[in-house]
Amino acid sequence: MRGTTVLPGEGNSGEPGEEGMPMHRLQVPMPNALPFAIGTFDTIGPMSRAPFPHRHTFHEIVHVTGGTGRHVVDLNRFPLRPPNLCFIAPGQVHHWENVTGLEGRLILFTDDFLVDHSADRHVLRTLSRRSWLDLPDEAAEETTRLVAEMDAEYRAGDAGFQSVLRALLHVLVVRAARLPAPRSPVEPPAPPPPETPSLTRPGSVAADFSALLGAPEGALQSVRSCADHLGVSVSYLSEVVKAATGRTPGELIRQTRVHEAKRLLLRTELSVRQVAGRVGFKDPAYFCRFFRRETGASPGDFRRGTGDIHHDHRLESIAASSSRA
């Protein structure tokens, strides 16, 4: 198993802590791990079917092939009628309710894994607002084949498997976006969990902030420009984004700039100076210091393919320190 989810400050206990709603984080072992994991409900572990409301710092795609019960996403209850496909964005609240015989696979990954297809971030957040999809026969067969191929590729770990996984994930996301809108939940909305902050306006602001960063000009945003665009104060934006994602707006903007810089370094012939300008840095030297601080490698080393392992080390270091907070 290359990845698992744990609760910050709780190890693998799987119960809500004293700080309120748990925040699950993707943690991957060293040294050659990706910010990605796929497995069954059993191989991912008990957190994959957590019965209490919680959030993630990562994307989760759930392919349900068997079981009964309900999946609660934000304030909507969705009865299981396999096969289903579910998309959960970072910061969304969800849990499983009265489930038995739950079968299928989960795909867990961070925005950083989408370096080949950065536009998928926006598509994924759009899908997360639809959340729960019933799969017609043809789509069900295609989805089963795709997910099984991803699982086999991930477990084999053969040469080039990272790019194959990214390509298969892209196909899954694009085809899911083509499916018709789901019917409304047939059960009444779930009441907010006890001691849970309102999920309406704060949740909307956090989602709109994520959408801003997922737009083509997301790397050029600042905390102030985002707050002004959303019509809220900087302090309020910081509060709701931190509550929804476990990270500050500034951290997420830096992550967006790094993500876009990596994409440009890998997929274009732009100079380092030009890449710096595309992600909001007037001073290339400062951009180089920023990039090395965030990834552990210089832009040149990353472009030559010698910076990935450094970046994976930093990913785990961030996740580990967050879980201890």
Side-chain angles (χ1 to χ4, degrees), residues 21-313:
M21 187 173 299
M23 179 70 73
H24 292 197
R25 290 173 168 82
L26 183 64
Q27 295 198 345
V28 289
M30 298 305 295
N32 297 315
L34 297 170
F36 176 97
I38 182 172
T40 66
F41 286 93
D42 290 333
T43 58
I44 293 291
M47 292 299 96
S48 64
R49 50 169 69 87
F52 50 84
H54 60 280
R55 293 183 170 104
H56 301 154
T57 62
F58 52 88
H59 296 274
E60 178 173 337
I61 301 176
V62 187
H63 181 219
V64 179
T65 57
T68 61
R70 303 172 185 84
H71 190 210
V72 183
V73 183
D74 290 331
L75 298 182
N76 291 318
R77 280 192 178 101
F78 297 97
L80 271 63
R81 297 190 182 95
N84 298 114
L85 196 61
C86 179
F87 292 82
I88 305 163
Q92 275 191 299
V93 180
H94 83 114
H95 69 280
W96 300 90
E97 189 176 76
N98 300 323
V99 294
T100 59
L102 190 57
E103 296 179 355
R105 288 187 176 94
L106 301 92
I107 305 168
L108 318 175
F109 55 95
T110 67
D111 277 344
D112 195 73
F113 189 69
L114 302 173
V115 64
D116 286 350
H117 303 283
S118 58
D120 284 355
R121 286 186 292 175
H122 176 71
V123 180
L124 283 162
R125 294 186 189 280
T126 300
L127 284 167
S128 72
R129 289 193 284 272
R130 298 166 58 184
S131 188
W132 191 256
L133 302 176
D134 296 321
L135 297 175
D137 291 344
E138 183 176 352
E141 293 176 2
E142 291 179 351
T143 300
T144 297
R145 284 196 299 268
L146 266 175
V147 174
E149 187 173 357
M150 292 175 69
D151 192 20
E153 192 74 29
Y154 179 73
R155 287 186 287 106
D158 293 334
F161 81 104
Q162 298 98 325
S163 60
V164 174
L165 285 173
R166 290 186 173 102
L168 292 172
L169 178 62
H170 175 64
V171 172
L172 178 64
V173 169
V174 170
R175 288 183 176 174
R178 296 174 180 170
L179 294 174
R183 59 177 178 268
S184 300
V186 297
E187 300 189 7
E195 301 180 4
T196 298
S198 169
L199 301 177
T200 53
R201 176 58 176 164
S204 174
V205 169
D208 289 346
F209 172 77
S210 294
L212 282 178
L213 298 191
E217 302 300 319
L220 299 177
Q221 296 286 355
S222 67
V223 177
R224 169 63 67 182
S225 68
C226 289
D228 290 345
H229 182 88
L230 298 174
V232 299
S233 68
V234 169
S235 60
Y236 182 77
L237 179 65
S238 298
E239 178 184 346
V240 299
V241 170
K242 182 65 179 291
T245 69
R247 298 184 181 181
T248 67
E251 288 173 332
L252 294 174
I253 288 173
R254 289 196 296 274
Q255 174 184 300
T256 299
R257 289 180 173 178
V258 169
H259 178 89
E260 179 66 6
K262 289 170 65 177
R263 186 182 71 84
L264 295 173
L265 288 167
L266 288 175
R267 307 303 175 200
T268 74
E269 299 298 323
L270 294 174
S271 67
V272 171
R273 176 182 293 275
Q274 290 172 317
V275 171
R278 295 288 184 93
V279 296
F281 290 87
K282 295 180 180 179
D283 182 355
Y286 180 63
F287 164 71
C288 290
R289 292 196 297 272
F290 163 82
F291 191 87
R292 181 182 290 278
R293 185 182 70 241
E294 294 296 317
T295 70
S298 70
D301 285 343
F302 180 82
R303 173 169 268 170
R304 288 188 291 271
T306 59
D308 287 337
I309 291 178
H310 293 289
H311 181 63
D312 288 339
H313 277 272

